Amino acid sequence: MAKDTASATQKQSFEEFCHQAFDPTKEFSKPEALKGVRVLSCTQYILGPSCASYLAELGAEVIKIEAPRRGEAMRHTTPFNEPFLYPLSRWVPERGTGLGFLGANPNEYFISVDFHRPEGQAIVKKLAAKSDVMVENYRPGTFDRWGIGYRQMKEINPRLVYCWLGGFGGWGPGRVRASYDILGQSQGGNFGMTGKQEFLGGAPSKHTIWLADYWGGMMGAVQILAALYWRDKVSGEGTFTEYSQVHGVTRQLEYALPLYGRHGITRQRWGNWDTQLCVHGIIKCGKSSYPGSENPQESEEGYILISAYTDEDFARLCKVVGDVKMAEKYAKTENRVKAQSQMEIYPWLEKWAADKTKEQVAEIMDKANINNQPVWNAKEVANHPHWVQRGAVRWLDDPTFGELLHQGPAYKMSATPPRLKWALKPVGADNELILGKLAGLSTEELRRLEEQECI
Amino acid sequence: MDTPKVPSWPAIPIAKPEEVYAGLSDQAKDYPLYLESITRQEKNFEKPEALALLRVLDCTTSMMIGHWCSSQLSELGAEVIQVEPPGGDPLRKLTPFGRKEYMFKDKESGEEVGGQFLHEMRNKLSVTLNLETEEGREILKKLVVHSDVVIENGTPGQWDAWGIGYRQLREINPRLIYCWVGQRGQWGPLKDKPGMLEPTAQAACGFVHGTGDPKEFGGQPTRSALWMADHVGGTSAAMGILAAVLYRNNVSGEGQFIEATSAEAIIRILDYSWAWYSMDGSIRPRYGNWDLAINIYAVNPCKDGYMMVGGGHDRLWYRIWRTVGDEQPAVEEDILGDLHLRDVTERLAHDMQVKTYTMLGEWLKDNPRSEAERKLSKQQVASGGVLYVNEVAEYPHFKYRGHVAECDSPHYGKILYGTTPFLQHKTPGRLKWLGRPVGYDNEDVYRRLLGFNRDDFARLSQTGVTHEEEEEEEL
């Protein structure tokens, strides 16, 4: 039988095989990679929560602990104070839940415990005793002071992987400094290098996503998985991990540090072009793809990435543009990639694209077999059949908030795919389930603790 | 021409613990000193490595996502064998503005490599193998027998057509975790749009459209200076690989097929963009250095550059204005008197953000970054200047903790680099070496794993399997 199946799959085209192996609609018919791993997430904002949520996508039982009643701050942030998810929040009845929370907490169980109170701390200890991982992002030393930090938890549960994530780390001259994503970007170095060139009037530019947070959370998850591997396969012991988001950003500066160390040169902004390749940059197309739209996001001109950095590709590009002189002048890679050359080449391309939309440019480039990628906005991405078919963006029937368009997991696995179950739940929604199951609290105790605002 | 003299790093000496913790009580010192004692990178080599038992074949070329993925694993101790085509990965040749003088030269052979490639080749072994030859593919199959993970980024279906795709390699090694990485994916309507380098993924996922100033302020869609989506995509691939390893070890005994793309990694972390669009058709706009969903939380110009100040909730909000009010009481009064700025979410409206930052700018324009940070830090407000690379390299806190360090490479001399952020008590990440010349480890890897002898090496070199066929090209 196995042979038949094997030969049947061989006959399939490779694309069909991949589609079947990674089909987002089949995720729930497959097992979960981290089933049986319990994670305690004592986190707020994005860095810590997202770290735990990546594990929750993989099937870990993630229990998120929030402050009673109002819950964590991200529930109350939303772009321009406009969109809110309903139903109304139980504790802030005048409005619903903000969208800032989305993407950082899917698939989790939500309980509320006041960490300040001895009774709350006792509950956290009970949960930690039965957990594999604890993720925490309070200011360094706070949990230690409350008696629920690594030093205490490793005595209660030596197998616990305790992961602290935050801004500057818990030791060193800057240890007391608070941090947010945008501070991580500012101080880590990627902010100052991003944006339009200084001599063209540009300024440093923020990455629109909370990159140091969301990507930092991934880094934390990688480290946790490695620690679990070492625990399960080698030692049986847990560990403490410390992730500084500023440190993470500094790690990703590519050639900037080696260049500075060797030559004393500080890497500068180079806008939408590339410092190492040419042509490999984003250019402006003169026409909007949606000229009649009232939405400024659509009515503005289009942009497209054109990539023709090899000599052959550049020659083809010149043919498309119809310019023999440029083809001769910049035939060689080493001539094209110089700063002065780029200053001439990109405006030349923009002049050519001045009467075209980004789709028209893409079509011309596709025909000439030249790499390109239009700059898509959120609407174009959300509706693109490629992303829809792959489940990168998908409709979710959320048990609390109803139908929502939501991002899928960042990567695909054939045997144990990460998946999306729910986006979020109200504060303390799972108190009864989790605290009854793991902390042995009776209905009566739960009611009393709730009245005292301890949960 | 005289080469300008470059000061050695660090220009300012690294602080000593007694300076850093001077004046603190024993109780206040206790916790940071404890953390320092268990996570300091100087102690790394007294400790084991988390992934020491894992062997990874990174067969990706001409793209950063795979290299980034495998360097995370190699920092955590995996034996990563970088399989390069003869002559090396084309990325080795990249250098800013084509300037050869910025490349790093092997002391013995004079072979050059660019800083970006070198920075990601940490702890990896370099072997060369021409997968376009039948014999090269046979050798790869033999390596796969000994490996836990293989990472590749061929054009969609290429490896399958070559007979070394997931469908074939799983027969050779059922425990193998096979990971394909790329920009947009190997199936779906865009699969045949050629894969290429970042910022392809950034442009394809909504990131570039949403980054930079609004058009009204002279802004345009903006890419990250870095090949950032490859970094995020690489980390997400590493996450998938480790989860698959855990599942294999603990549950199934079998490997699986993984696919990670840079674009989808960013789609995953574009927070509320998708839900917001589905609710009322809103398209995530560019909002410059301000934040759509938090106020105060922005970078604005100050006296000597750009300054981040952040404090979304009430406690920090009032502390920020108290700090400003020390110098400009009228500003504090105006802000605190504005009814529309009293509630934390009402402050998020666009008009309110304009008012907030206009007023804050009044104060920032008289304060340089260091002063603003000193004053706000006294109130425990998160703040700090936008730093440039030279400032990052010399930043006292980073130097003390070793975020930036110098590696003395046997091949390339001293190299400044960004260290691994995987600090840990028991099995920390670490740097063992930073990059190797092309094919430096052929001898070791092929002898140790496949038992090649002198004759094999000579033959493979001549047939173009491990080395470029230079003579033939000349004929």
Side-chain angles (χ1 to χ4, degrees):
Chain A
M1 183 213 103
K3 239 181 200 161
D4 286 351
T5 338
S7 66
T9 48
Q10 284 302 339
K11 273 180 214 149
Q12 252 178 345
S13 79
F14 183 68
E15 186 179 12
E16 278 165 2
F17 171 75
C18 288
H19 192 161
Q20 209 170 68
F22 299 123
D23 189 346
T25 65
K26 300 280 167 10
E27 285 164 359
F28 282 90
S29 61
K30 297 176 182 176
E32 296 179 287
L34 297 187
K35 181 174 174 281
V37 173
R38 183 173 294 134
V39 179
L40 217 50
S41 175
C42 307
T43 60
Q44 48 190 341
Y45 302 108
I46 300 292
L47 177 63
S50 71
C51 173
S53 79
Y54 302 127
L55 304 174
E57 283 178 331
L58 283 161
E61 181 191 60
V62 175
I63 300 165
K64 170 153 174 144
I65 309 181
E66 288 177 279
R69 298 178 75 91
R70 276 184 75 93
E72 72 142 289
M74 291 312 290
R75 286 180 184 268
H76 312 291
T77 67
T78 207
F80 299 133
N81 195 30
E82 278 166 8
F84 285 92
L85 288 164
Y86 292 89
L88 297 171
S89 148
R90 185 170 159 205
W91 304 112
V92 193
E94 68 272 24
R95 69 169 67 89
T97 303
L99 306 192
F101 207 75
L102 280 160
N105 303 269
N107 299 4
E108 297 177 0
Y109 294 98
F110 293 84
I111 69 168
S112 51
V113 176
D114 188 343
F115 294 121
H116 298 81
R117 302 196 206 181
E119 225 170 342
Q121 291 155 7
I123 291 174
V124 178
K125 281 186 195 166
K126 277 188 198 167
L127 298 178
K130 300 183 184 68
S131 296
D132 300 276
V133 179
M134 177 162 158
V135 187
E136 183 249 296
N137 71 341
Y138 280 71
R139 289 201 187 195
T142 308
F143 269 36
D144 189 73
R145 207 168 59 240
W146 287 341
I148 49 175
Y150 175 61
R151 284 198 280 199
Q152 296 92 13
M153 291 308 194
K154 75 177 173 20
E155 302 302 323
I156 296 173
N157 179 0
R159 288 173 56 82
L160 186 72
V161 174
Y162 188 111
C163 171
W164 181 89
L165 303 102
F168 290 80
W171 51 278
R175 69 194 175 281
V176 292
R177 288 180 66 190
S179 178
Y180 291 110
D181 163 77
I182 189 175
L183 184 57
Q185 289 190 35
S186 299
Q187 303 243 291
N190 62 4
F191 197 125
M193 298 188 324
T194 296
K196 207 181 215 178
Q197 291 88 332
E198 188 78 29
F199 61 86
L200 295 176
S205 188
K206 177 175 84 115
H207 295 62
T208 184
I209 23 173
W210 296 316
L211 174 73
D213 276 358
Y214 269 111
W215 168 67
M218 283 187 189
M219 294 288 279
V222 165
Q223 206 178 356
I224 287 169
L225 291 169
L228 287 174
Y229 171 90
W230 185 71
R231 182 194 76 170
D232 292 349
K233 179 139 178 139
V234 184
S235 70
E237 283 175 40
T239 184
F240 172 83
T241 73
E242 183 191 80
Y243 179 81
S244 146
Q245 64 181 185
V246 190
H247 191 173
V249 171
T250 302
R251 163 74 179 81
Q252 59 160 181
L253 299 182
E254 301 174 345
Y255 63 76
L257 285 166
L259 180 68
Y260 173 72
R262 182 66 59 97
H263 298 283
I265 292 166
T266 298
R267 183 172 171 178
Q268 300 292 316
R269 292 188 296 283
W270 198 241
N272 279 337
W273 309 341
D274 200 277
T275 56
Q276 304 187 104
L277 296 162
C278 181
V279 173
H280 188 67
I282 294 166
I283 62 156
K284 183 176 176 176
C285 309
K287 281 170 74 179
S288 159
S289 306
Y290 317 93
S293 173
E294 282 174 17
N295 189 333
Q297 299 310 312
E298 293 186 312
S299 58
E300 70 175 16
E301 300 85 349
Y303 289 79
I304 188 168
L305 168 70
I306 294 181
S307 179
Y309 54 82
T310 64
D311 292 346
E312 304 84 72
D313 284 357
F314 183 73
R316 260 203 324 281
L317 179 65
C318 289
K319 209 178 246 177
V320 168
V321 177
D323 196 326
V324 190
K325 271 206 312 229
M326 288 296 272
E328 281 169 11
K329 186 172 178 187
Y330 292 119
K332 291 270 167 250
T333 300
E334 55 267 31
N335 290 337
R336 277 195 307 279
V337 75
K338 286 178 186 162
Q340 304 89 311
S341 315
Q342 297 200 29
M343 296 283 297
E344 184 184 352
I345 291 170
Y346 289 108
W348 162 71
L349 282 172
E350 290 195 343
K351 206 173 140 199
W352 169 78
D355 60 347
K356 299 174 183 71
T357 65
K358 62 179 190 263
E359 286 77 15
Q360 286 166 337
V361 173
E363 200 187 325
I364 294 168
M365 294 301 153
D366 282 344
K367 262 194 203 138
N369 199 20
I370 291 168
N371 288 332
N372 66 85
Q373 173 59 53
V375 171
W376 285 331
N377 65 34
K379 181 178 175 181
E380 291 166 321
V381 173
N383 290 315
H384 199 289
H386 186 73
W387 302 129
V388 172
Q389 190 188 103
R390 292 173 61 87
V393 180
R394 54 178 76 180
W395 283 97
L396 166 73
D397 178 17
D398 188 77
T400 312
F401 301 109
E403 297 272 318
L404 271 185
L405 197 62
H406 199 285
Q407 54 269 56
Y411 54 94
K412 303 180 186 315
M413 299 171 82
S414 63
T416 57
R419 66 201 65 178
L420 177 65
K421 299 169 189 171
W422 55 83
L424 50 119
K425 293 185 191 179
V427 182
D430 300 300
N431 276 350
E432 209 179 302
L433 172 71
I434 298 294
L435 295 178
K437 182 171 82 164
L438 298 175
L441 296 183
S442 67
T443 317
E444 211 165 291
E445 280 169 311
L446 285 168
R447 194 177 305 132
R448 177 181 61 81
L449 289 169
E450 192 169 299
E451 272 165 19
Q452 294 172 351
E453 289 182 32
C454 185
I455 61 169
Chain B
M1 200 177 89
D2 288 344
T3 17
K5 193 173 162 2
V6 178
S8 64
W9 180 90
I12 304 157
I14 299 171
K16 298 196 168 57
E18 50 277 23
E19 295 164 343
V20 169
Y21 301 110
L24 289 183
S25 69
D26 285 350
Q27 203 190 345
K29 266 193 287 204
D30 173 56
Y31 187 68
L33 281 176
Y34 169 71
L35 281 191
E36 198 169 326
S37 74
I38 63 170
T39 60
R40 256 214 177 267
Q41 297 180 60
E42 285 82 345
K43 304 216 168 102
N44 283 349
F45 284 91
E46 296 165 17
K47 301 172 184 178
E49 295 183 279
L51 303 180
L53 300 174
L54 205 66
R55 183 174 293 130
V56 179
L57 292 181
D58 178 358
C59 305
T60 64
T61 61
S62 305
M63 211 184 270
M64 221 58 211
I65 175 172
H67 297 325
W68 182 274
C69 168
S70 67
S71 64
Q72 319 257 275
L73 302 174
S74 69
E75 283 182 341
L76 288 163
E79 179 189 297
V80 175
I81 300 171
Q82 181 65 51
V83 180
E84 296 182 73
D89 185 327
L91 291 183
R92 280 182 181 264
K93 300 202 168 63
L94 296 192
T95 180
F97 306 113
R99 290 184 185 161
K100 292 252 194 256
E101 65 268 33
Y102 295 165
M103 298 181 88
F104 293 79
K105 221 179 230 175
D106 180 13
K107 283 175 189 166
E108 273 178 32
S109 67
E111 180 189 298
E112 289 170 323
V113 57
Q116 180 177 15
F117 188 80
L118 196 56
H119 202 246
E120 277 324 307
M121 281 305 109
R122 41 190 73 185
N123 302 352
K124 295 176 197 175
L125 303 171
S126 170
V127 308
T128 51
L129 190 60
N130 188 350
L131 295 175
E132 289 174 15
T133 65
E134 185 66 43
E135 188 162 15
R137 297 194 286 270
E138 287 307 313
I139 292 173
L140 182 86
K141 286 184 192 168
K142 289 181 189 156
L143 287 174
V144 160
V145 172
H146 302 282
S147 301
D148 298 278
V149 179
V150 66
I151 312 171
E152 61 107 346
N153 70 335
T155 52
Q158 175 67 72
W159 277 45
D160 191 76
W162 273 343
I164 50 172
Y166 171 69
R167 293 193 278 194
Q168 297 97 10
L169 293 188
R170 70 176 170 186
E171 306 288 329
I172 296 172
N173 178 359
R175 290 176 59 82
L176 183 72
I177 287 139
Y178 184 111
C179 180
W180 184 90
V181 291
Q183 298 292 302
R184 285 169 294 215
Q186 52 181 347
W187 56 281
L190 288 174
K191 80 176 171 66
D192 293 324
K193 210 138 153 116
M196 55 172 164
L197 289 162
E198 263 281 83
T200 307
Q202 289 179 36
C205 68
F207 172 83
V208 170
H209 177 86
T211 296
D213 282 333
K215 190 187 169 187
E216 296 80 351
F217 289 78
Q220 59 178 27
T222 304
R223 61 164 283 188
S224 169
L226 309 169
W227 290 349
M228 181 274 299
D230 275 2
H231 302 168
V232 182
T235 305
S236 76
M239 201 155 59
I241 287 170
L242 288 176
V245 169
L246 278 178
Y247 186 73
R248 181 194 73 176
N249 290 358
N250 294 346
V251 185
S252 72
E254 284 174 12
Q256 59 178 303
F257 193 15
I258 297 176
E259 188 189 78
T261 69
S262 302
E264 283 162 309
I266 302 296
I267 287 175
R268 167 66 181 85
I269 66 176
L270 268 165
D271 42 64
Y272 45 76
S273 301
W274 320 114
W276 190 16
Y277 167 66
S278 73
M279 288 166 77
D280 59 11
S282 289
I283 300 169
R284 185 192 191 89
R286 294 192 295 284
Y287 207 42
N289 290 336
W290 299 355
D291 196 281
L292 299 163
I294 314 174
N295 176 13
I296 289 175
Y297 189 88
V299 163
N300 284 293
C302 66
K303 194 173 183 185
D304 68 342
Y306 299 88
M307 184 70 198
M308 180 275 174
V309 182
H313 57 74
D314 283 348
R315 195 164 52 98
L316 293 174
W317 170 264
Y318 290 113
R319 285 177 177 191
I320 291 167
W321 296 114
R322 198 183 306 152
T323 311
V324 171
D326 282 345
E327 284 158 34
Q328 301 184 349
V331 171
E332 185 185 8
E333 216 168 284
D334 186 335
I335 292 283
L336 301 190
D338 189 333
L339 291 177
H340 297 294
L341 287 172
R342 290 228 168 133
D343 182 88
V344 66
T345 56
E346 282 186 39
R347 287 173 210 149
L348 298 171
H350 173 66
D351 290 353
M352 295 297 102
Q353 297 221 33
V354 171
K355 173 159 183 180
T356 302
Y357 297 128
T358 308
M359 305 297 266
L360 189 68
E362 278 300 303
W363 178 73
L364 281 174
K365 74 177 169 34
D366 299 327
N367 277 282
R369 290 173 294 171
S370 58
E371 274 299 290
E373 183 188 315
R374 190 182 57 77
K375 291 169 189 169
L376 289 161
S377 293
K378 260 204 294 200
Q379 298 282 353
Q380 296 188 336
V381 172
S383 64
V386 171
L387 300 184
Y388 297 89
V389 172
N390 53 341
E391 297 171 306
V392 170
E394 286 292 341
Y395 207 69
H397 180 70
F398 304 165
K399 280 189 296 194
Y400 183 79
R401 287 172 51 88
H403 294 186
V404 177
E406 205 165 43
C407 148
D408 193 1
S409 160
H411 308 290
Y412 308 104
K414 287 188 173 169
I415 308 164
L416 197 66
Y417 74 104
T419 65
T420 175
F422 297 139
L423 305 193
Q424 215 192 90
H425 180 188
K426 306 271 180 67
T427 52
R430 69 198 64 176
L431 185 93
K432 291 178 277 194
W433 59 82
L434 195 61
R436 308 276 243 205
V438 181
Y440 185 80
D441 300 288
N442 279 358
E443 183 81 24
D444 167 48
V445 169
Y446 291 135
R447 271 186 195 279
R448 175 161 53 96
L449 298 181
L450 307 184
F452 283 10
N453 59 29
R454 247 168 261 252
D455 294 342
D456 294 323
F457 283 114
R459 184 171 43 80
L460 294 170
S461 167
Q462 278 159 13
T463 52
V465 175
T466 55
H467 291 77
E468 284 173 312
E469 296 168 89
E470 284 168 34
E471 280 115 328
E472 275 184 37
E473 271 172 30
E474 276 167 13
L475 291 172

